[in-house]
Amino acid sequence: MKCMIIGGFLGSGKTTTIRKLIEYLGAQGQRIAIIVNEIGEIGIDGDTVSEGGVETREITNGCVCCTLRISMEYTIKNLITSYRPDTIIIEPTGIAFPRQIKSNIESMGIPDMRFTPIVNLVDPCRLGSDVGDLQNFVKNQIEDAEVLGINKVDLIGPEKLLETCLLLRKLNPTARIVHFSARQGGEALDKLFCLIRRSSQNKTISEARNSIEMSGVSAYSTEFEIISQEIPLETAVSVSGQILDGIRNRVTELNPEFTGHIKLSFAHKEDFVKGSVTSAYEKPEIEILKKERNSRSRIKILSAVTSVSREELIKTVDTTVTGQLEDSQLSYIKVEKNDHVYRQGTISPFQQKNF
């Protein structure tokens, strides 16, 4: 059984890349399981990558490389017993230390577990040319990698690509560097997949580090159930974009140079709207996926950003979402998570609106 660890900082395109990897491995008859780790209390990417014939597990509210190590061991062993996958893909949080994850799994003593090379994805649009400008945990992620994937090359020119390659080579002289666009696919992405199917040759020695403490990232996630019955797809897309815009604008006021990732999913009927923002300078990216029919409409939001207090982040997300839903005349219930059990929140008079 193979274990693939695909890391990368917030917004580097891990989820899109993994979705394409699932298609690639599935076409070869592989039985695949995915472990998605979210720093927030509510998972989003598990909904995005889950597909027919793929077993997905979510580990939330922390990082599997440090605070959730026991949860990771239980999840892996449970998957092996109940599902017997050929390949387990691990998508850690954007602040995780991939080599520490590998070291933790090696210490579990799982028979016949083989590791593929550790992959770290980077978004060149968010990297400068000076190593000194990078946060320590970003540098550590790059240094941990055996394969460095420069994603989103469709958004940059050759000069920026060369600049990014030189920066990565300063930090990691030995890793293989591949550049591609996960969104566009093609031969360059297939080259990455061929590389990461090989066995890792590196021995892992990793000191224990707390990724959350080192990152300076505040995180908050929340979920709202939409109880309005008739919601056109155009409304779901519009509301998703305006929520992301509103959160981004407020976070930018608090920290004009914020680094992080604001993610949203809107599940409604057979449609699944996925959106994200990774900087103050970009517009929300919106994607529409087709899923099995949803029994209920719901919006999930995860925000993880640097140098903004968690209290301010909670206030920003909650007021933006509720304000936009009310402006759009959508009835909703905020779903609270308490002791790992979801419960419905009460609807105050200003929350309950009908068409």
Side-chain angles (χ1 to χ4, degrees), residues 42 65 69 72 77 152 177 183 214 220 223 252 277 289 295 316-317 336:
I42 296 171
C65 74
R69 176 177 174 176
M72 171 68 98
K77 291 182 176 178
K152 306 183 182 182
I177 297 178
R183 178 166 302 201
M214 293 181 65
Y220 174 61
E223 180 176 359
T252 302
V277 169
L289 308 175
S295 59
T316 294
V317 172
E336 303 290 349

Side-chain angles (χ1 to χ4, degrees), residues 307-332:
S307 303
V308 173
S309 72
R310 190 166 189 272
E311 292 75 15
E312 286 285 359
L313 189 59
I314 291 172
K315 180 180 177 182
T316 294
V317 172
D318 284 350
T319 57
T320 301
V321 176
T322 56
Q324 185 56 51
L325 292 177
E326 289 163 17
D327 288 346
S328 301
Q329 295 186 318
L330 296 179
S331 305
Y332 64 89

Side-chain angles (χ1 to χ4, degrees), residues 270-283:
E270 70 277 4
D271 298 308
F272 187 85
V273 180
K274 174 184 176 247
S276 68
V277 169
T278 56
S279 78
Y281 311 107
E282 66 176 18
K283 294 182 179 179

Side-chain angles (χ1 to χ4, degrees), residues 129-136 139 167 171:
S129 58
D130 189 350
V131 171
D133 293 336
L134 298 178
Q135 292 168 300
N136 286 332
K139 289 189 285 188
L167 176 71
L171 289 168

Side-chain angles (χ1 to χ4, degrees), residues 9-34:
F9 186 56
L10 302 160
S12 58
K14 296 191 300 294
T15 302
T16 301
T17 302
I18 288 172
R19 280 171 45 205
K20 296 292 180 70
L21 176 60
I22 291 169
E23 295 175 6
Y24 177 86
L25 296 176
Q28 300 174 21
Q30 289 276 307
R31 191 174 177 85
I32 307 160
I34 305 166

